[in-house]
């Protein structure tokens, strides 16, 4: 027998967000933060993610303003850069992932670090006022924090720091939250990932949705 299931994509989204808002504890979020958090929860399929999401003061406002001003989005992995819905971006914002730059492997060897960390060195010309989206590599987030220790390093407008995993992920996000060199969003602990990070960017891109 044919399966009976919802086939309207828009209806699936509406019902999903309604379930999230019913089941998740969203009371501590501002309206803009809530909209971002709901998208992140939806991407993870985990209502309990709400308790792990942290927004620093003015994060949502800073990130939205950056995109509306045409700022680039700097991504640590292609899974992040490819997931961003370009048509949602308010100013045809450039999306940049430098991980596959041919100079990265040699630089990583000289730095004695991962390719994900080394790739961030190629962000420097684009970093000022950018929206940073790190959803995969803890080493990238750690290296970004090291870069921002230098007063001469350009400052992004906001950082989404949601790397996932068992080695360094929780610690890198804790370091970002403690330092807060610019407004930031994190998912505490081992959870996070590219899909969650992409969801946050896409929500920020359409604040009136």
């Amino acid at each position: 027998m044919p399966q009976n299931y919802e086939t309207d994509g828009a209806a699936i989204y509406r019902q999903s967000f309604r379930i999230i808002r019913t089941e998740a504890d969203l009371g501590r979020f501002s309206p803009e933060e809530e909209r971002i958090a709901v998208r992140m929860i939806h991407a993870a399929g985990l209502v309990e993610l709400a308790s792990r999401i942290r927004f620093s003061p003015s994060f949502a406002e800073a990130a939205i303003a950056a995109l509306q001003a045409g700022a680039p989005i700097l991504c640590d992995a292609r899974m992040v850069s490819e997931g961003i819905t370009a048509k949602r971006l308010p100013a045809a914002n450039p999306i940049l992932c430098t991980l596959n730059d041919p100079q990265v492997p040699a630089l990583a060897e000289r730095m004695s670090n991962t390719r994900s960390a080394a790739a961030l060195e190629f962000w420097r010309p684009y970093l000022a006022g950018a929206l940073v989206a790190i959803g995969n590599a803890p080493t990238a987030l750690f290296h970004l924090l090291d870069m921002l220790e230098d007063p001469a390093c350009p400052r992004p407008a906001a950082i989404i720091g949601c790397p996932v995993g068992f080695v360094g992920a929780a610690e890198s996000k804790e370091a970002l939250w403690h330092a807060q060199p610019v407004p930031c969003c994190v998912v505490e602990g081992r959870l996070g990932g590219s899909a969650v990070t992409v969801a946050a960017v896409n929500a920020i891109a359409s604040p009136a949705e």
Side-chain angles (χ1 to χ4, degrees):
M1 293 181 62
Q3 300 298 314
N4 182 22
Y5 59 96
E6 179 62 72
T7 60
D8 185 317
I12 291 170
Y13 271 109
R14 288 194 299 271
Q15 185 175 351
S16 297
F17 296 154
R18 185 163 55 248
I19 291 170
I20 291 168
R21 288 190 164 93
T22 299
E23 297 184 3
D25 182 3
L26 304 171
R28 62 189 174 85
F29 299 125
S30 72
E32 288 300 337
E33 291 170 348
E34 179 183 315
R35 194 176 46 77
I36 299 168
V38 166
R39 286 277 180 176
M40 295 169 75
I41 293 165
H42 180 255
L46 186 65
V47 168
E48 293 76 14
L49 193 74
S51 66
R52 304 289 187 92
I53 299 171
R54 295 285 181 269
F55 299 104
S56 68
S58 78
F59 166 80
E61 294 79 5
I64 291 168
L67 291 192
Q68 290 179 341
I73 304 167
L74 308 183
C75 307
D76 69 320
R78 289 292 299 274
M79 288 186 291
V80 178
S81 62
E82 294 299 316
I84 296 169
T85 307
K87 66 181 181 181
R88 296 173 68 101
L89 298 174
N93 306 74
I95 304 169
L96 181 67
C97 176
T98 55
L99 185 59
N100 291 336
D101 187 292
Q103 302 175 78
V104 165
L107 179 57
E109 186 172 351
R110 292 197 301 272
M111 292 171 57
S112 298
N113 208 331
T114 65
R115 291 190 302 115
S116 296
L120 270 63
E121 289 295 325
F122 298 96
W123 286 6
R124 291 182 185 269
Y126 313 98
L127 196 54
L131 175 61
V132 169
I134 296 180
N136 184 62
T139 56
L141 184 51
F142 275 129
H143 188 60
L144 177 62
L145 291 172
D146 286 342
M147 290 168 61
L148 294 175
E149 286 286 328
D150 180 358
C153 182
R155 266 16 201 188
I159 300 170
I160 302 169
C162 295
V164 63
F166 295 92
V167 179
E171 293 83 357
S172 67
K173 290 178 283 188
E174 183 179 354
L176 172 59
W177 189 253
H178 177 74
Q180 293 194 27
V182 298
C184 62
C185 164
V186 302
V187 172
E188 294 176 328
R190 295 171 174 176
L191 299 175
S194 298
V196 170
T197 303
V198 166
V201 174
N202 287 337
I204 291 163
S206 301
E209 185 181 56

